[in-house]
Amino acid sequence: MRHHDADIDAAVQLLLKLKVDYKQVTGQDYKTGCPPSECAVSQDNGPAAAAADGEDMVDPWNVSTTNAKGVDYDKLIVRFGSSKIDQELVDRIERVSGQKAHRFLRRGIFFSHRDMHQVLDAYEKNKSFYLYTGRGPSSEALHVGHLIPFIFTKWLQDTFDIPLVIQLTDDEKYLWKDLSLEDCHRYTVENAKDIIACGFDINKTFIFSDLDYMGASPDFYRNVVKVQKHVTFNQVKGIFGFGDSDCIGKIAFPAIQAAPSFSNSFPQIFKGRKDVQCLIPCAIDQDPYFRMTRDVAPRIGYPKPALLHSTFFPALQGAQTKMSASEANSSIFLTDTPKQIKNKVNKHAFSGGKDTVEEHRKYGGNPDVDVSFMYLTFFLEDDEQLEKIRQDYASGALLTGELKKRLIETLQPMITSHQERRKQVTEETVKQFMTPRPLNFNF
């Protein structure tokens, strides 16, 4: 009998320990029959908790890894609690849309999702959805990595023929960076020109600055306040790692990034409807904002936004960090001349090749860590060509210099034509895109 008591004591001790662990991981007290909310799926991703040893660091402000192949995205899916975009989903997107999948889907550049099947289920029943993406305008210069979500969003807009809202978070940049409000707003207009140059349809696209739209749209602000009421300081501390010395603007900001996920934030587009499903294509470092949004949505009577997550665009120096606009040599800017592109790729692009031609011919290069090859996976449309380059590089038939030449020949015309399209974008065009108005859809 005594022995039995000891067992029970040990079990009780274990349960108490598990409750403490649960609280550490989720930031919530354990309640029977009450699973943790989505907010709590992963509390280890705020800046407050720097990456554990060997863990990749991924949050909205920092991305780094020790691995030359880049972030381990399969681990990230588990850590963030999202779902992998598998072949079955890619095939289904092709079936439903009647289009060949975009190369970003075929190649796993958009690799993770939340609720995409639900969006397709509804679309098959003739229920429309809308797209929401955005950018924090922290400088005038965009680099090629910034284009990734926009290139893909344009493809989604063309393929599904749906409305798109693009949020420019000039308020966020003012709160986080040492910039004046005037600068932030100016960057917004400049960034909008680059976004418009991606080819979005003016009749289907609304681009807005938070600093302008929030004051002009009572419905938008009402949704911001609803979200603010339903998220506690503890939750945002857990998700974003905010501390006691962060300004209160930062703490309240996530609600502003959440609000465009709800269709009635745009009454001029959706005629006041609150039930139009939202799909958000973004880089995976933005996911914490939308875990929070998805947690709040049902509590304020809205559908949860669905998400498509992309990988990061690696810095020229290697995939350990993502390309950064503040680090000139890590980036290829949309303002770079063909000559600058050539020099940057030749001089800075990390190579997976061997030190000498003889060794390279004999042992081959490693395309998995070679930045030039990674960039080609983003921008070279032809799958067969890409596969041949991979094989030739791995076998040693293709030298690093030749691989870099292929990349330069792919990037130069792409960026030159972007610059030409951007030149056509006038202040007047920007104003039209940024004016709240009905779009060509009947909701």
Side-chain angles (χ1 to χ4, degrees):
M1 187 68 207
R2 291 298 274 281
H3 175 69
H4 201 65
D5 285 350
D7 281 355
I8 290 173
D9 276 349
V12 168
Q13 288 305 316
L14 179 64
L15 278 172
L16 289 171
K17 181 182 172 313
L18 285 171
K19 283 189 172 180
V20 172
D21 289 348
Y22 180 90
K23 179 148 190 175
Q24 266 184 342
V25 171
T26 64
Q28 301 172 352
D29 286 315
Y30 177 78
K31 288 207 277 294
T32 317
C34 180
S37 59
E38 282 205 43
C39 265
V41 168
S42 161
Q43 293 288 316
D44 64 345
N45 61 321
D53 285 343
E55 278 267 293
D56 296 336
M57 173 81 190
V58 176
D59 69 44
W61 304 279
N62 303 285
V63 175
S64 64
T65 175
T66 51
N67 188 340
K69 290 182 180 179
V71 171
D72 184 330
Y73 291 106
D74 286 332
K75 266 193 191 159
L76 207 53
I77 286 175
V78 174
R79 194 168 125 196
F80 280 10
S82 59
S83 311
K84 194 176 172 69
I85 294 181
D86 51 15
Q87 194 52 49
E88 183 201 346
L89 179 53
V90 176
D91 293 344
R92 185 170 180 212
I93 290 171
E94 292 195 325
R95 256 198 333 274
V96 173
S97 69
Q99 303 278 335
K100 181 180 179 180
H102 192 274
R103 61 180 185 271
F104 291 173
L105 283 169
R106 305 197 300 267
R107 295 176 192 163
I109 287 167
F110 272 80
F111 70 100
S112 150
H113 75 100
R114 296 182 187 274
D115 289 348
M116 188 59 192
H117 281 290
Q118 205 176 298
V119 172
L120 294 171
D121 289 343
Y123 189 77
E124 285 183 313
K125 300 192 182 87
N126 292 325
K127 275 211 186 91
S128 186
F129 59 100
Y130 74 100
L131 298 165
Y132 157 36
T133 191
R135 153 146 186 78
S138 52
S139 69
E140 270 178 47
L142 269 73
H143 58 61
V144 282
H146 291 137
L147 286 181
I148 304 306
F150 294 114
I151 290 170
F152 188 61
T153 301
K154 175 176 162 37
W155 180 81
L156 288 168
Q157 182 184 54
D158 293 345
T159 302
F160 290 98
D161 186 29
I162 42 178
L164 159 66
V165 296
I166 299 174
Q167 179 181 48
L168 296 171
T169 55
D170 37 15
D171 51 347
E172 174 208 10
K173 291 306 166 189
Y174 173 69
L175 294 167
W176 260 268
K177 305 228 175 216
D178 188 19
L179 295 166
S180 71
L181 270 173
E182 293 69 39
D183 281 345
C184 293
H185 199 260
R186 193 179 81 249
Y187 294 154
T188 290
V189 175
E190 291 307 310
N191 285 192
K193 290 178 187 171
D194 280 298
I195 292 167
I196 292 165
C198 293
F200 292 108
D201 184 335
I202 195 161
N203 298 309
K204 300 174 186 175
T205 308
F206 173 47
I207 302 175
F208 63 99
S209 135
D210 285 345
L211 291 174
D212 290 336
Y213 187 60
M214 188 122 137
S217 174
D219 298 84
F220 187 90
Y221 184 58
R222 279 170 166 74
N223 277 339
V224 170
V225 173
K226 280 185 187 172
V227 176
Q228 286 173 342
K229 181 168 178 168
H230 290 85
V231 179
T232 66
F233 180 45
N234 241 348
Q235 280 174 311
V236 290
K237 264 200 314 207
I239 301 168
F240 301 102
F242 295 141
D244 293 343
S245 57
D246 279 311
C247 71
I248 57 175
K250 289 185 180 182
I251 294 150
F253 173 74
I256 299 174
Q257 192 160 323
S261 313
F262 310 129
S263 57
N264 62 348
S265 291
F266 307 98
Q268 67 282 8
I269 301 172
F270 300 105
K271 316 285 186 282
R273 275 181 56 181
K274 65 174 193 177
D275 60 340
V276 185
Q277 167 94 53
C278 176
L279 173 64
I280 306 169
C282 62
I284 190 139
D285 57 334
Q286 295 300 303
D287 186 67
Y289 285 108
F290 301 116
R291 283 207 290 283
M292 181 198 84
T293 307
R294 287 169 55 85
D295 186 61
V296 172
R299 292 188 285 143
I300 57 178
Y302 297 142
K304 292 181 179 188
L307 285 108
L308 292 169
H309 299 124
S310 75
T311 59
F312 303 115
F313 195 79
L316 279 164
Q317 280 74 9
Q320 289 88 339
T321 54
K322 67 172 186 174
M323 189 176 271
S324 159
S326 48
E327 183 43 66
N329 286 330
S330 81
S331 307
I332 290 170
F333 291 104
L334 301 181
T335 49
D336 284 350
T337 63
K339 194 173 168 192
Q340 284 174 309
I341 293 167
K342 183 179 171 180
N343 289 340
K344 279 186 184 176
V345 170
N346 282 332
K347 198 166 153 191
H348 297 293
F350 182 79
S351 161
K354 299 292 179 284
D355 292 340
T356 65
V357 172
E358 295 76 46
E359 278 183 42
H360 189 86
R361 293 277 188 227
K362 190 170 169 191
Y363 302 110
N366 180 355
D368 294 334
V369 301
D370 191 289
V371 169
S372 299
F373 183 77
M374 291 178 197
Y375 286 11
L376 282 173
T377 62
F378 282 87
F379 297 122
L380 189 68
E381 178 56 41
D382 189 315
D383 291 344
E384 282 169 21
Q385 262 185 25
L386 186 72
E387 187 46 40
K388 181 162 171 28
I389 291 170
R390 170 189 271 286
Q391 286 169 5
D392 288 351
Y393 194 59
S395 74
L398 188 72
L399 297 173
T400 297
E402 296 167 323
L403 173 62
K404 287 188 168 184
K405 188 164 174 279
R406 289 300 300 266
L407 174 63
I408 291 161
E409 287 166 357
T410 305
L411 285 176
Q412 283 172 333
M414 183 184 102
I415 290 173
T416 305
S417 66
H418 178 88
Q419 290 165 356
E420 281 162 9
R421 288 194 305 273
R422 192 185 191 280
K423 271 200 206 93
Q424 310 296 310
V425 180
T426 61
E427 301 284 327
E428 187 48 42
T429 312
V430 174
K431 209 159 142 187
Q432 287 176 320
F433 268 95
M434 296 186 77
T435 300
R437 64 204 187 282
L439 299 176
N440 282 10
F441 296 96
N442 289 317
F443 283 98

